[in-house]
Every structure is written in C-alpha cells, then in structure tokens.
Amino acid sequence: MRAAKKDDFFDELEGMTLEARERYQTTGLKKALEHAYANAPSAKEIFDRAGIKPTEVRQVKDLEQLPITRKGDLIELQRSKPPYGGFLAVPLEEVDRVFITPGPIYGPHQIEGISWFGKTIYAAGFRKGDIVINTPTYHMSPAGLLFHEGVRACKATVVPTGVGNTDAQIKTMLDLKVTGYTGMPSFLMSIIKRAEEMGHDFRRDFALKRAWFTGEMLAPATRKELETRYGIDTYQCYAVTDLGGCVAYECSGKAGMHFMDEYVIEIVDPDTGKQLGPGETGEIVATPIHNPVWGLIRYGTGDISSYLVEPCPCGRTAYRISGIVGRTADAVKVRGMFVIAKQAEQVLAEFNQIAQFQLIVNRTGERDELVAKIELADESIDEARLSLLLSERFPQVCRVKLDKIEYVPQGTIPQERRTIVDERRWE
Ligand SMILES: [Zn+2]
C-alpha cells in the first residue's frame, strides 16, 4: 500500500490509527451524550426510560442499552412536541437554518464547525479549479445548500443550477466548461442523453470529468457506462437527511464507503438493537458526535448493510460499509440472517430460465424454512439442473440456503407480488 500524501485527505481524522479513532470516538460520544441529556428533553427521556445515565456509556458497546429512534418516532415526537420533538440541544436562537423534509421533519442546523459534505466531495477528487454544477433542489431540503458548501470546502467553483431545466444545464456546462457534477446519477444520465439528442458528442464537446452522487443508488451498469463510455470518474456517498449529512463516503478504491468520524456508526440487528460484527448484515444506526444542535441518539436509518475492516488502498483508516443492500422493511430474517428482497431478485434475475418467482419463509418445528416458488420460462427446461445451479448460487449472494425449490404452473404467482412472504406465525 502506498503512503498517503498530505493533501490526499480532507482532514487528519481520515488517517487516524485505530487506537486514536477509538479514543476520539469514545470521548466524542461521551461529550455528545452528556450534552444531549442536559439540553434535549427527549434525549433525557431515552436515558431515563432505559434506566441509565450518560456517564454509564463508557464505550460504543454500551450504546446497546439505549433504544433505537427511527423516522416514525421522530415524526411522532415532532408532532407531540413541536417543532423539534424535544431533540433540540441548543437555545432556539442558536439555530442557523431549518430544513424541512417529508414527514414533515424539521431539521435544525448550525453552519459552523461541521464539514457536512466537504470530506466526501474531496475524496471524490474535487479541487480548486473545478467548475461544478450542483443539481439538487436548494429549497426546503438540505441537499442543495449542503452540497454547495461541500464543493466550496474543496475550494472548487459552484454553479447552483438546482433541479431540472436539462437544456439550461447543458448550455451552462458548455459555456462555463463545467468539469464536475453533484447530484443524482439518473439526472446526469438524462443530461447526457439529451445532449446526444441535440447532436453532441459528449466526450468531445463537454469538459465534465468528475461526478459525485448521492440520493439514489448508483447501479453498477450506470457507473460503468458513465466511466467507460463518457470518461467521467464517479463517486458516491451515503447520506442520511434526518442526521443532516454524509454518514459514509467512497474513495478512489470504490469498494465500500468509509465511515465518517463525525458519527458513531453501528450495524445492528434491527429487532434487538445488538451490535453485529464485520461482514454481518444489519441496520445502519448512527449517533452524531459533532452536532451540538441535534440531540439524536442511535438514529435507525432503516438501511441495511454490513461493514468491512480490511485496510483500504486509499490509506483512509476508517472502516467501510459495503454498500446499501436494502431497507429493513424489505428484509426478512431467516435462521438469524437477513434475506434482502433486492439481493434475492438479483440472483433470480441471473437465470433466464425463470419467468417468475416468490420466496416463502415458514417454520417447521424450531427451524425456519426458505422455499423458492418458481415458474419456468418454458416447459422444456431441466428442473433438476436448474435447482442445482440455483441452490449453489443463491447462498453465495444471500448467505442463506434455499431449503426447497418448488416448480409451479405458469400464472400461479401474481405479477404484483412481494418478493419474500413471511408465513411464520409466532403466537
Ligand atoms: Zn478508501
């Protein structure tokens, strides 16, 4: 691994040793919890109900004693304790700006002291001299303003084009020789396609060489097209709106997203709140330790991932999440492992012999059973061979074995169906 150069990193946190990070995080966590407990009534209530004091949380593991707060809880609390749900941890007049996201959720923000997005945009290679169109909306939601500030934190020039107006975006890109893009991958793709419709050769006519994405998944096929066909270096970041910023971000290694040191991030079993180890799949839960305004503790994102501890070639030392594989609502636990609807769909889509499928989870005695019901694309297909291939491939991706593969007549499985049906009864 090559040694990191001084300007490879946005700040010194990115290259901390593991011991330094542990110290940094536990000190930050203690301070954040004590501050939230003393100033945010809902944070105090969380501790009181759990029967512990902030001083009893001495390490990240101790967070397990506290419940997870999710979007639904936050919406409910903001309704019953308007406007901030009892999580505002500074005097009202200290709030710089308030973002409004669906719910509605009111998100109080302070500008000073936090690099909300600078670090991720820097890791994507944006520097002084870049001219960047920033394409998310600038009103209500935090995206436009926060990405704008992030680009400025890298000393690049921002053009606040905002959302939509494809033709105007194209003219701006040509006139200003725009080199960078921030926003969603789908919108960049529609800009490129529109430019091609207008007769442009994208590589020849445009100066765009770098794009930073968040807000939607970057499909591998889209990434490949942007990079190889259009010569755009692409990066992505995992942001959580209710936490006000980036939680994990990609580096030039493009294999997972590094945890932001401004949060304590846990991957947990969403049912029990217990922390999971490297490689185990669970819900991403984050506690901000650098945001004195917002007293949220253990915010459950509903996003499912796992984390990697292997060193990254970029030299950043923070662990990485392996990517978002689904939402807790789309995942069913089978024998202690999450089967994610989207992952299962990916595997089944690899087999063009399969026309339609559905996974059923039931329980015989004490054991969960996972059954795949399959409609074949055509009757001449060798069922035994397909079963063999599928039984081998399925656990490679979904990490749970299929117990049974049942072939059903065409038309048995409805077109509009849930990918995984949980038929277990717990009473
Ligand atoms: Zn890296």
Side-chain angles (χ1 to χ4, degrees):
M1 191 181 304
R2 90 194 155 80
K5 291 200 303 287
K6 191 174 154 275
D7 62 355
D8 281 353
F9 298 159
F10 184 81
D11 60 27
E12 72 285 0
L13 299 179
E14 294 187 291
M16 275 190 288
T17 62
L18 292 184
E19 298 72 39
R21 174 163 294 112
E22 199 184 318
R23 269 198 310 278
Y24 181 82
Q25 294 236 308
T26 41
T27 316
L29 180 64
K30 275 188 217 163
K31 248 169 79 181
L33 296 181
E34 278 164 29
H35 173 79
Y37 185 85
N39 297 287
S42 289
K44 183 172 186 300
E45 248 176 69
I46 285 173
F47 277 98
D48 293 349
R49 252 184 281 132
I52 63 165
K53 295 271 183 278
T55 47
E56 289 171 70
V57 180
R58 292 184 188 90
Q59 50 180 343
V60 172
K61 182 84 184 149
D62 297 332
L63 280 174
E64 285 183 346
Q65 297 169 62
L66 297 168
I68 291 167
T69 301
R70 292 195 172 79
K71 194 188 266 294
D73 305 320
L74 189 56
I75 292 170
E76 233 3 88
L77 278 163
Q78 289 207 341
R79 215 171 274 156
S80 61
K81 298 177 187 170
Y84 299 117
F87 287 109
L88 184 69
V90 294
L92 210 51
E93 62 273 21
E94 298 295 317
V95 175
D96 294 327
R97 54 194 178 187
V98 182
F99 294 116
I100 305 149
T101 49
I105 292 176
Y106 297 102
H109 242 249
Q110 258 178 350
I111 298 165
E112 296 301 320
I114 305 166
S115 160
W116 296 101
F117 282 92
K119 207 182 287 198
T120 156
I121 294 171
Y122 193 87
F126 290 68
R127 297 290 185 273
K128 188 168 188 165
D130 273 315
I131 300 169
V132 182
I133 48 166
N134 184 39
T135 61
T137 177
Y138 271 71
H139 66 266
M140 307 284 267
S141 104
L145 269 175
L146 295 189
F147 302 170
H148 185 117
E149 288 165 2
V151 174
R152 286 299 303 137
C154 302
K155 300 193 167 58
T157 303
V158 199
V159 190
T161 50
V163 80
N165 300 312
T166 312
D167 288 9
Q169 305 265 8
I170 289 171
K171 183 160 169 44
T172 306
M173 288 167 83
L174 288 167
D175 290 349
L176 300 183
K177 298 192 169 43
V178 165
T179 60
Y181 171 97
T182 47
M184 292 203 279
S186 56
F187 187 48
L188 176 56
M189 207 45 122
S190 49
I191 289 177
I192 294 172
K193 297 294 168 196
R194 175 77 186 125
E196 285 179 337
E197 270 171 35
M198 291 159 90
H200 287 289
D201 173 333
F202 194 81
R203 265 186 189 258
R204 184 194 64 205
D205 300 345
F206 289 77
L208 194 74
K209 59 179 195 304
R210 199 169 292 291
W212 174 89
F213 300 129
T214 192
E216 68 184 8
M217 301 284 278
L218 174 60
T222 308
R223 165 167 258 175
K224 197 167 162 225
E225 191 177 1
L226 290 170
E227 298 207 341
T228 56
R229 184 155 171 212
Y230 298 111
I232 304 164
D233 199 7
T234 64
Y235 291 84
Q236 52 184 338
C237 136
Y238 170 63
V240 179
T241 309
D242 302 328
L243 291 167
C246 166
V247 171
Y249 58 101
E250 224 171 35
C251 61
S252 56
K254 300 188 187 181
M257 294 182 251
H258 288 285
F259 286 173
M260 281 275 284
D261 287 305
E262 284 74 3
Y263 299 87
V264 165
I265 298 165
E266 306 163 78
I267 305 285
V268 309
D269 179 327
D271 298 331
T272 63
K274 294 276 180 266
Q275 292 166 10
L276 300 171
E280 294 183 309
T281 307
E283 182 179 6
I284 303 172
V285 168
T287 303
I289 58 173
H290 272 276
N291 185 356
V293 178
W294 210 200
L296 276 186
I297 298 164
R298 295 197 98 199
Y299 189 69
T301 61
D303 291 316
I304 293 188
S305 188
S306 57
Y307 72 98
L308 314 162
V309 297
E310 289 77 18
C312 182
C314 77
R316 286 176 184 79
T317 49
Y319 293 158
R320 286 168 286 164
I321 51 169
S322 55
I324 308 302
V325 295
R327 299 275 308 161
T328 43
D330 307 320
V332 176
K333 217 186 212 179
V334 181
R335 300 192 287 275
M337 298 287 285
F338 281 104
V339 178
I340 320 287
K342 215 176 74 208
Q343 281 189 329
E345 282 162 13
Q346 271 167 18
V347 178
L348 276 292
E350 290 173 13
F351 295 86
N352 51 19
Q353 304 95 313
I354 298 172
Q356 178 73 309
F357 76 93
Q358 190 166 42
L359 297 174
I360 314 287
V361 189
N362 48 44
R363 205 163 162 86
T364 15
E366 288 302 300
R367 190 173 186 276
D368 294 333
E369 206 181 47
L370 183 61
V371 180
K373 286 195 175 170
I374 287 172
E375 288 178 19
L376 291 172
D378 111 52
E379 282 172 13
S380 66
I381 291 160
D382 181 348
E383 291 180 2
R385 184 170 156 69
L386 177 59
S387 295
L388 203 71
L389 293 171
L390 185 57
S391 310
E392 195 180 284
R393 180 64 183 142
F394 192 87
Q396 288 171 353
V397 178
C398 299
R399 303 171 68 202
V400 174
K401 279 193 177 138
L402 287 171
D403 295 287
K404 212 189 283 173
I405 298 173
E406 272 177 31
Y407 294 93
V408 296
Q410 283 191 358
T412 313
I413 302 165
Q415 283 301 321
E416 292 294 317
R417 84 312 177 224
R418 284 182 66 92
T419 301
I420 310 174
V421 179
D422 191 351
E423 290 185 346
R424 289 168 296 187
R425 294 289 167 267
W426 301 102
E427 66 273 11

